[in-house]
Amino acid sequence: MAFRTATLLAALLGATVAEAQTPPETPSEAVIAATRQFDLNSKISGRTYRVQIALPVAPPPPGGYPTLYVLDGAGMFGTWADLARGRAAAMGIEQAIVVGISYPGAGLMQTMALRFKDLTPTAGKPGAYPLPPGTETGGADAFLQALQTEIKPAVAKLVPVNPKRDMFLGHSLGGLTVLRALLRTPGDYSTFLISSPSIWWDDKAVLADEAAFSAQVKAGKIAPRILIGVGGKEQTVDPTAPVPPGFTPEAVKALTDSARMVDNAKELGARLAALPGGPGYQVETKVFDGEDHMSVIWGSANAIANFALPFKAPSSGK
């Protein structure tokens, strides 16, 4: 362990301390080492996606690398690229490819609008949610198909992957989309990492497929590994937090109460865990105390990584 840690620190910090130098007048853009990216024009969704790949430093295992697909890659790819490779180097956990999916050249507001289309499984009721005018919704199924039939094959052309060990991670609306994939196409991934899922969307329409999914689990036809996480403070309103523009404190509380973020996640996890699944079927639900809807992204990362890539690889993937 000490040797691995020392090796990692040497790689990250350098074996010697270099003398301080004056930075250039026009610094170049910082990049993450050993990563690649490309833009893919989807014929299915009609959109362009930026695909970022963090490459492992060790040779691939027999059958190829496990691969973690991360939604909202513009904000989460760097975290997961460093986390996966750092854990592998320092703790001896097997290495995985991390693939982040986002949009090229999109600013924050544009990204929010684009993700509402790709990360909602149904259109929802017009005017039911405080969305910017013109925001499209209900495109998650097309996005998931594009991910499965266009993005995954493009990644496989660049690095050797094990399609039996694909993992899928999403937060908030991303968590909703991972849940959609779990309930509709559970064979597309071996592990589903569902962070703070927006189950409330369109009166919980995503749960319409739960009964069919449960029947497959009971019949032993599928045995996915599932982690559902949520921040312990996601169902309460912080009285000291600023009220978003256009809202009143009463409106914020009403939306928070109706979303039932913690209760919905716990109830879903309990139902899925109670299913008599076959070998390899695993469900865990974690409430991260003290974390809100944003802070839980980082506060839960190590626990999610422990579930996704445990010290001993899941036997179902070999």
Side-chain angles (χ1 to χ4, degrees), residues 142-208:
F143 169 68
L144 289 170
Q145 186 181 357
L147 177 52
Q148 183 67 20
T149 63
E150 295 176 325
I151 295 177
K152 281 188 179 184
V155 171
K157 288 181 179 180
L158 298 176
V159 284
V161 300
N162 184 345
K164 295 181 179 179
R165 298 196 59 200
D166 286 345
M167 300 169 284
F168 198 13
L169 168 63
H171 175 76
S172 192
L173 289 179
L176 175 67
T177 301
V178 175
L179 177 57
R180 177 71 159 192
L182 170 69
L183 299 181
R184 283 234 167 162
T185 56
D188 288 352
Y189 302 87
S190 66
T191 303
F192 295 81
L193 307 165
I194 304 171
S195 174
S196 301
S198 301
I199 297 173
W200 52 266
W201 177 262
D202 198 12
D203 294 331
K204 304 182 185 180
V206 69
L207 300 182

Side-chain angles (χ1 to χ4, degrees), residues 10-48:
L12 294 178
L13 304 178
T16 60
V17 178
E19 293 182 4
Q21 298 182 7
T22 303
E25 293 184 4
T26 306
S28 60
E29 185 174 359
V31 297
I32 301 174
T35 59
R36 302 291 184 270
Q37 75 176 31
F38 60 88
D39 294 341
L40 183 144
N41 299 314
S42 172
K43 296 179 180 178
I44 296 172
S45 70
R47 293 186 162 202
T48 301

Side-chain angles (χ1 to χ4, degrees), residues 205-218:
V206 69
L207 300 182
D209 297 303
E210 186 180 344
F213 169 84
S214 299
Q216 292 185 74
V217 172
K218 293 176 182 178

Side-chain angles (χ1 to χ4, degrees), residues 53-293:
I53 306 172
L55 304 174
V57 296
Y65 295 106
T67 306
L68 174 63
Y69 290 88
V70 181
L71 299 180
D72 289 316
M76 296 177 65
F77 172 71
T79 294
W80 282 96
D82 287 341
L83 183 62
R85 292 195 294 211
R87 284 164 51 89
M91 302 170 65
I93 297 173
E94 65 177 327
Q95 301 202 34
I97 296 168
V98 176
V99 178
I101 304 161
S102 56
Y103 309 97
L108 176 61
M109 296 308 296
Q110 185 182 6
T111 296
M112 293 298 292
L114 290 170
R115 72 191 291 273
F116 261 107
K117 176 72 177 291
D118 285 331
L119 303 185
T120 50
T122 55
K125 297 178 176 60
Y129 315 107
L131 304 180
T135 300
E136 297 181 86
T137 55
D141 290 342
F143 169 68
L144 289 170
Q145 186 181 357
L147 177 52
Q148 183 67 20
T149 63
E150 295 176 325
I151 295 177
K152 281 188 179 184
V155 171
K157 288 181 179 180
L158 298 176
V159 284
V161 300
N162 184 345
K164 295 181 179 179
R165 298 196 59 200
D166 286 345
M167 300 169 284
F168 198 13
L169 168 63
H171 175 76
S172 192
L173 289 179
L176 175 67
T177 301
V178 175
L179 177 57
R180 177 71 159 192
L182 170 69
L183 299 181
R184 283 234 167 162
T185 56
D188 288 352
Y189 302 87
S190 66
T191 303
F192 295 81
L193 307 165
I194 304 171
S195 174
S196 301
S198 301
I199 297 173
W200 52 266
W201 177 262
D202 198 12
D203 294 331
K204 304 182 185 180
V206 69
L207 300 182
D209 297 303
E210 186 180 344
F213 169 84
S214 299
Q216 292 185 74
V217 172
K218 293 176 182 178
K221 296 180 179 180
I222 55 173
R225 302 177 67 245
I226 306 164
L227 175 66
I228 302 172
V230 67
K233 297 171 66 176
E234 292 196 51
Q235 204 164 301
T236 58
V237 177
D238 182 355
T240 66
V243 177
F247 285 83
T248 64
E250 293 76 18
V252 172
K253 185 178 187 308
L255 285 173
T256 303
D257 291 345
S258 64
R260 300 183 73 248
M261 292 294 294
V262 177
D263 289 345
N264 281 339
K266 290 170 62 177
E267 290 165 6
L268 173 63
R271 293 195 303 271
L272 298 184
L275 297 175
Y281 182 64
Q282 181 182 1
V283 180
E284 290 187 14
T285 303
K286 294 183 179 294
V287 177
F288 296 93
D289 293 337
E291 305 291 356
D292 59 30
H293 190 65

